[in-house]
Amino acid sequence: MRATVSTSSTAPSVLLCFHGRGREAAVAACLVAATFLALAAFLDPRAQASSWFFSSSSSSSSFSSLQSSGGGGGSEHLLLTSTSYSGGGDGGRRRNSTGKEVHEEVQVGDDDILLSLPKSSSSGHGAPPLSVSPPAAVLAPAAAPATVCSQATPRHPAQGSSDEAIQATPQVRRRRDVKLERLELGLAKARAAIMDAVRNKDNRPPLADKDYVPMGPIYRNSYAFHRSYLEMEKLFKVYVYEEGEPPVFHDGPCRSIYSTEGRFIYSMEMESRLRTRDPDLAHVFFLPFSVVKMVKMIYEPGSHDMGPLKRTVSDYINVLSNKYPYWNRSLGADHFMLSCHDWGPYVSSANGHLFGNSIRVLCNANTSEGFNPSKDVSLPEINLRSDVVDHQVGGPSASHRPILAFFAGGNHGPVRPSLLAHWKGNVDNPDVQVSEYLPRGVSYMDMMRRSRFCLCPGGYEVASPRLAEAIYLECVPVVVDDGEYALPFADVLNWDAFAVRLRVADIPRLREVLAAVSPRQYIRMQRRVRMVRRHFMVHGGAPRRYDAFHMILHSVWLRRLNVRIAAQQG
Ligand SMILES: *[C@@H]1O[C@H](CO)[C@@H](O)[C@H](O)[C@H]1NC(C)=O
Ligand SMILES: *[C@@H]1O[C@H](CO)[C@@H](O)[C@H](O)[C@H]1NC(C)=O
């Protein structure tokens, strides 16, 4: 079924929960029943980035004023609102295979509070209108050089459990239901432990950890994050579907600006602790396709026809949902996909449930294009030139950074034209270095190391590899957008503490705004940039704790905690 994502017009009756997004910049108003003790304390109506989940109420950043003029980041959501799914049959309230309207049974805490909440995303999918052509050969990749990770990606023979799925006897189903209930019980305990940590954040000594103890203002709530992270390590299990052949499946680019896509797929395949081979023990199911590889193998350059890409994804989901019971029982809510390609969001619209229910881990995390921060995950874009980032890391202190602000990059997308028009070749302000191309012999990384602030406007999409690069090189990042970019790991990280957010309309004031940051403030921010770097690191070999891979998984973990899958009964 190639359902398009629909718009629901029905007003929610009990809960009002809509995101400030798009031009209207509607107020992010999430009124949840008072079951959530203390929750009110986390919602600061004045903070545009309405803090939820791990927010620490005390963190009023000195830089929040920089984003005071509108709905910047107003898309956050109450992550701990849990949603109950029981797909298949009439169990749930979600009967929208036709994509009319999704009413959900949402559970808050342990008390049943039913509310109906239109879930489907409203707007378009962020891709230009495209023609749809008759089906082409879908899974017929031409022989092309498979890149980087291919050889290293292990292949696993499909497992016997799939046959079991096809002819599930009542006993098998019951066993499965018992396992599911046990999984949900485990999640409920983890949820309770984390909520407890959220409430007690200031009263307890830090948790023990041999590697690292999260602390300080870079976190919304470091204690709760730590608790949640440890719970994840203890409990979380991901199942990676075996179906599909490389390079479109089980493979991806491990270098280039899309590297996070390939690196994640690769690391997930290699992962031993957080991965399970038994789907009945899994909390989430990973759909291991690579949009970047699809674009390379399936898309016909210049055709502007993404039909074959979308068909690949919808066929894949049809195969899985026919073979296994897992997709149907949650309508995709405990499944996740991941893509760093600009077209990731568009390709995800191949299946209405994938778009509307599943966890979509995307670099192109544009809330004006259906990215929903309460269920989707913002994936950092990292331009890997080699297998690791280690050699790109580090930089001098502020006093050795003569340039105030730096940007070099192509003039495309919605933000850069304004930036270049105002600041390119601005001889009156030589400490603002903005250009399309660097002169021959000038190193991009050196420029970042010599700059106090690095400007990170999106290009064709909201994400930019500059964000991670700035963090690696200890240059304080400046996100330039109109609040539609959902920043990576924002449910854990307090971006205000180590980054500046500048609205597009404020580009002419850029110098004034940045020059107003006092040296002391700057030193503090730079120190925090150094601290937060750990979470953006990509290491050679196996991923390490608290690195980018684990932060991505942690984001998925948090979203799975919000969902409760009900057993099917019979
Ligand atoms: C899942 O649902 C689809 C569509 O309703 C159906 O065709 C398919 O057989 C179901 N899968 C299983 C494993 O029951
Ligand atoms: C986000 O999406 C909206 C709607 O498609 C678009 O107008 C805007 O330019 C996008 N933002 C960026 C920074 O790409």
Side-chain angles (χ1 to χ4, degrees):
M1 131 195 9
R2 222 153 283 143
T4 49
V5 178
S6 68
T7 317
S8 166
S9 55
T10 310
S13 52
V14 183
L15 172 93
L16 296 168
C17 194
F18 42 90
H19 310 292
R21 84 166 45 139
R23 274 148 230 144
E24 296 92 329
V27 186
C30 283
L31 310 172
V32 173
T35 344
F36 260 155
L37 319 139
L39 203 54
F42 302 128
L43 279 172
D44 179 357
R46 285 153 310 177
Q48 288 300 332
S50 57
S51 30
W52 40 270
F53 202 60
F54 288 158
S55 70
S56 83
S57 40
S58 61
S59 74
S60 68
S61 154
S62 43
F63 291 88
S64 52
S65 60
L66 295 174
Q67 43 166 312
S68 59
S69 53
S75 44
E76 275 91 343
H77 185 72
L78 291 168
L79 200 53
L80 275 175
T81 307
S82 72
T83 309
S84 211
Y85 285 89
S86 56
D90 293 330
R93 258 147 230 258
R94 313 168 50 81
R95 282 170 215 155
N96 111 321
S97 44
T98 49
K100 274 275 159 49
E101 178 186 318
V102 183
H103 282 270
E104 289 171 31
E105 192 181 300
V106 176
Q107 271 220 330
V108 181
D110 281 335
D111 299 334
D112 269 319
I113 295 169
L114 294 182
L115 18 97
S116 74
L117 161 69
K119 173 123 185 204
S120 48
S121 115
S122 49
S123 49
H125 316 125
L130 295 159
S131 62
V132 176
S133 71
V138 176
L139 287 173
T147 39
V148 278
C149 293
S150 310
Q151 297 92 327
T153 308
R155 299 291 308 119
H156 309 287
Q159 290 187 326
S161 55
S162 52
D163 296 330
E164 184 198 61
I166 297 165
Q167 302 132 1
T169 62
Q171 288 98 314
V172 168
R173 264 209 309 272
R174 256 197 305 280
R175 263 206 308 278
R176 186 166 280 143
D177 283 353
V178 169
K179 285 178 180 171
L180 177 60
E181 273 159 17
R182 206 176 294 146
L183 287 182
E184 288 298 330
L185 194 65
L187 290 175
K189 283 184 183 156
R191 215 177 273 135
I194 297 164
M195 277 313 288
D196 189 50
V198 168
R199 284 190 292 262
N200 289 283
K201 60 188 175 10
D202 296 323
N203 305 334
R204 294 184 196 177
L207 299 163
D209 196 309
K210 65 181 167 49
D211 294 323
Y212 174 66
V213 176
M215 263 193 275
I218 62 169
Y219 299 102
R220 288 174 175 272
N221 181 334
S222 55
Y223 183 80
F225 165 54
H226 202 189
R227 175 87 272 162
S228 170
Y229 190 91
L230 297 178
E231 291 290 329
M232 171 185 82
E233 289 186 322
K234 211 162 63 186
L235 199 67
F236 199 35
K237 292 286 178 238
V238 181
Y239 180 76
V240 183
Y241 281 112
E242 312 271 359
E243 284 75 8
E245 291 301 319
V248 167
F249 299 88
H250 306 285
D251 192 14
C254 288
R255 295 193 188 167
S256 85
I257 55 167
Y258 300 131
S259 69
T260 34
E261 183 173 311
R263 291 297 299 226
F264 183 90
I265 294 171
Y266 174 70
S267 300
M268 201 63 246
E269 301 266 351
M270 301 294 283
E271 171 64 45
S272 53
R273 266 186 82 182
L274 295 167
R275 182 179 175 189
T276 177
R277 306 279 172 161
D278 180 353
D280 283 336
L281 300 181
H283 299 99
V284 291
F285 297 80
F286 181 42
L287 306 166
F289 58 77
S290 163
V291 176
V292 175
K293 291 288 180 181
M294 280 181 211
V295 172
K296 211 173 256 170
M297 312 302 291
I298 300 174
Y299 176 74
E300 194 181 315
S303 68
H304 299 289
D305 177 14
M306 281 184 231
L309 277 60
K310 290 173 73 171
R311 273 192 296 278
T312 304
V313 169
S314 77
D315 288 352
Y316 190 62
I317 290 172
N318 284 343
V319 166
L320 301 180
S321 65
N322 277 305
K323 191 165 174 183
Y324 304 95
Y326 309 107
W327 178 272
N328 282 5
R329 81 179 177 190
S330 69
L331 297 174
D334 53 354
H335 285 58
F336 76 101
M337 61 160 283
L338 175 141
S339 176
C340 197
H341 198 278
D342 307 14
W343 297 349
Y346 188 74
V347 171
S348 76
S349 70
N351 179 298
H353 292 316
L354 177 66
F355 192 99
N357 297 346
S358 298
I359 301 165
R360 299 177 310 144
V361 185
L362 301 168
C363 284
N364 195 356
N366 186 339
T367 53
S368 298
E369 294 179 349
F371 184 90
N372 174 358
S374 67
K375 79 163 186 67
D376 298 328
V377 171
S378 174
L379 177 66
E381 187 169 311
I382 298 175
N383 187 0
L384 275 188
R385 297 174 182 88
S386 67
D387 289 341
V388 293
V389 292
D390 301 35
H391 71 280
Q392 312 176 1
V393 160
S397 64
S399 57
H400 293 93
R401 293 175 180 260
I403 301 166
L404 177 68
F406 166 68
F407 170 81
N411 189 2
H412 56 250
V415 180
R416 296 180 185 184
S418 163
L419 184 64
L420 287 157
H422 278 96
W423 294 103
K424 184 176 148 183
N426 189 322
V427 285
D428 297 334
N429 298 290
D431 60 349
V432 176
Q433 292 279 328
V434 170
S435 61
E436 284 181 80
Y437 306 102
L438 287 175
R440 194 180 288 269
V442 175
S443 146
Y444 180 78
M445 277 167 58
D446 278 349
M447 288 298 283
M448 280 196 153
R449 284 198 198 92
R450 295 176 60 219
S451 305
R452 294 201 286 288
F453 292 96
C454 289
L455 308 176
C456 309
Y460 293 115
E461 57 154 321
V462 288
S464 166
R466 286 166 183 77
L467 210 51
E469 281 159 1
I471 290 170
Y472 296 150
L473 301 173
E474 299 177 13
C475 178
V476 172
V478 180
V479 178
V480 191
D481 75 337
D482 277 330
E484 71 268 46
Y485 181 26
L487 292 164
F489 316 138
D491 36 16
V492 169
L493 299 179
N494 175 24
W495 277 84
D496 286 350
F498 57 88
V500 173
R501 198 157 194 172
L502 191 77
R503 298 181 65 77
V504 177
D506 288 334
I507 283 175
R509 294 177 52 230
L510 177 130
R511 191 178 181 286
E512 184 190 333
V513 168
L514 298 181
V517 177
S518 76
R520 273 188 56 192
Q521 274 177 315
Y522 183 83
I523 287 167
R524 220 166 22 226
M525 290 187 95
Q526 199 194 22
R527 193 168 56 225
R528 294 170 184 164
V529 166
R530 210 175 300 132
M531 285 177 63
V532 87
R533 188 166 66 208
R534 165 190 309 274
H535 299 311
F536 291 85
M537 288 301 285
V538 177
H539 300 285
R544 298 185 202 157
R545 298 179 71 216
Y546 298 103
D547 68 359
F549 172 73
H550 287 102
M551 290 300 286
I552 296 163
L553 268 186
H554 182 263
S555 304
V556 173
W557 155 252
L558 284 185
R559 279 144 188 87
R560 176 59 177 89
L561 278 177
N562 284 334
V563 168
R564 210 178 68 178
I565 313 291
Q568 291 194 37
Q569 324 289 340

